[in-house]
Every structure is written in structure tokens, then in C-alpha cells.
Amino acid sequence: MAMKIKAVLFDLDGTLLDTAPDMANAANRVLADYDQPPLTQQQIQANTSMGAKGLLTAGFGTIPDHLDIMTLREEFLRYYEDNICVNTSFYQGVTTLLAQLEAKGIQWGIMTNKPGFLTDMLLPFFPELLRAQTVVCGDTLPVAKPHPEPLLHASQQMGVDHRDCIYIGDIEKDMIAAKAANMAGYVAGWGYIGDDHTPSDWHAQGVLSHPSEILAVVGSE
């Protein structure tokens, strides 16, 4: 692919930040309210990037007919908002990567399906993320991933042609969105990839095992 990378866009949960402990805690509190057992580590790993719906569906197995998933989601969000950054942390190597991208003059931003009000609450706990050139959330536009428009919007906000950007995310819908946006997509192999996920089938440009590998990507594209 003969192009010069001018910007890197990142997913948030499972890519820049390991939010699983706090998201799982919120889901487990909802499950406990309905006398359900807590999520297993395998369920947490495989479903955190699917958000409240993914975690709660995994916990219940099948949502009972008398319960509404949107009501359960609202309960989850209240618990999560109250304890949004107790055990959330950067993935190893992320802060170094961001500094190195900046040193190379490569812009970077965040494009996440996380709701804006939660993203706005979470980012100040991690001052390095406040340097992002753009932050586009799941409700910034009328559509969210896997629709390509949020990625196109993020690149426009940075003043960079979308073909000169790459997107890093850890679930298949991230790669679907990148492909639809005509943007090279790379899988964050360190993120929330469950045993039953097959990222090699996601039509990504590659699967990365550590954030530092992004430097080789931007240097070779």
C-alpha cells in the first residue's frame, strides 16, 4: 500500500485502555440484582468491547422475556458511571507509543462507540489521552461503527484524508468500519479477543500483538 500515514485513529476500550475490570463490575452488579452468577473471565474477555449489551447478554445467556435489554443497559450505565475508573488502566506500551507518534509528527485520535458522556468522564483520568486531536464517540453522529461515517468524520476533524489514516481496534466491527471507510485497519491483538474470535478472518491489514508494532506500520505504509 503506497501511501504515507499521517494519522492513527484508535478505538478506546480494549485498544488504548483496559476498561474490562470496571465494566465487568458494573455488569456483575446488574446480574446480582437479578440473582444471576457473575461473569467468568472468559466472558469478560470476549464481550467487553461489545459494551453493556454484550456483557449482560453473556451473563444472562438469554435475556428473560420479562426483562428489557434497554432497561438493563440503563442500570449498567448507572453502576458504571458511579465507578468508571477504579481499576481501568492503560495497556502496556500505549503511552510510549502516543509520545513516539507525536515525535514523528503523526496525528492521532480516538473513535469509540462508547457514549460521549462516559468518554468525557473517563478521559481526564488519563491526561495523555486529552492530547488526542479528535475524539468521536458512539453518539457523536446519528450512526456508529460498523458504519464508516464516524471514522470519516474523525479524519475530517484532523484535516487528514481518510486514505492517509489507519484505524486500530480489537473487534470485527472495527475492521468492517475501516474497510467501508477505505481506511487501513489493524487488529489490536492485545485487546478483548475471545477464544472463539478469529481476527485473521476480519479482512484487516494485519493483527498486531503489541502497541509498539504500530510504529513499524506507520513507517512502512
Side-chain angles (χ1 to χ4, degrees):
M1 187 177 296
M3 66 180 189
K4 177 175 173 55
I5 298 300
K6 297 179 180 177
V8 180
L9 289 168
F10 295 94
D11 182 35
L12 185 60
D13 302 276
T15 301
L16 293 174
L17 295 178
D18 181 3
T19 57
D22 292 326
M23 292 185 69
N25 176 64
N28 283 336
R29 292 182 68 177
V30 175
L31 292 169
D33 288 343
Y34 294 92
D35 299 317
Q36 298 296 311
L39 295 161
T40 66
Q41 283 302 121
Q42 184 178 13
Q43 288 173 321
I44 294 168
Q45 175 71 15
N47 292 282
T48 295
S49 277
M50 307 298 179
K53 183 176 180 180
L55 288 168
L56 293 172
T57 300
F60 279 100
T62 300
I63 303 296
D65 291 338
H66 68 284
L67 296 177
D68 176 66
I69 185 60
M70 295 309 296
T71 299
L72 294 173
R73 180 177 180 271
E74 289 302 315
E75 295 172 6
F76 168 94
L77 291 176
R78 285 195 293 271
Y79 282 131
Y80 183 51
E81 182 179 358
D82 288 343
N83 297 277
I84 196 168
C85 193
V86 177
N87 292 302
T88 291
S89 62
F90 274 116
Y91 282 103
Q92 183 179 15
V94 166
T95 57
T96 299
L97 167 67
L98 298 180
Q100 290 172 323
L101 290 175
E102 291 166 357
K104 289 177 174 288
I106 296 173
Q107 296 189 69
W108 63 272
I110 297 169
M111 196 285 109
T112 173
N113 269 6
K114 204 178 195 75
F117 83 99
L118 291 174
T119 303
D120 290 343
M121 288 181 61
L122 183 58
L123 293 189
F125 286 96
F126 303 93
E128 294 91 341
L129 296 184
L130 298 178
R131 302 200 305 264
Q133 276 76 50
T134 185
V135 178
V136 177
C137 302
D139 52 4
T140 299
L141 303 176
V143 293
K145 295 179 299 185
H147 199 285
E149 188 57 33
L151 285 176
L152 296 173
H153 180 70
S155 63
Q156 289 166 2
Q157 285 198 319
M158 292 189 293
V160 177
D161 190 291
H162 61 278
R163 291 164 294 190
D164 296 333
C165 299
I166 62 173
Y167 186 53
I168 313 295
D170 68 306
I171 58 174
E172 187 173 14
K173 71 167 59 173
D174 294 334
M175 299 303 104
I176 293 172
K179 184 176 181 179
N182 196 21
M183 188 178 294
Y186 289 83
V187 178
W190 58 88
Y192 303 135
I193 298 176
D195 293 339
D196 59 341
H197 296 166
T198 53
S200 59
D201 295 337
W202 294 350
H203 305 290
Q205 294 296 118
V207 180
L208 309 177
S209 61
H210 190 273
S212 61
E213 295 179 17
I214 296 170
L215 291 174
V217 171
V218 299
S220 63
E221 294 285 7

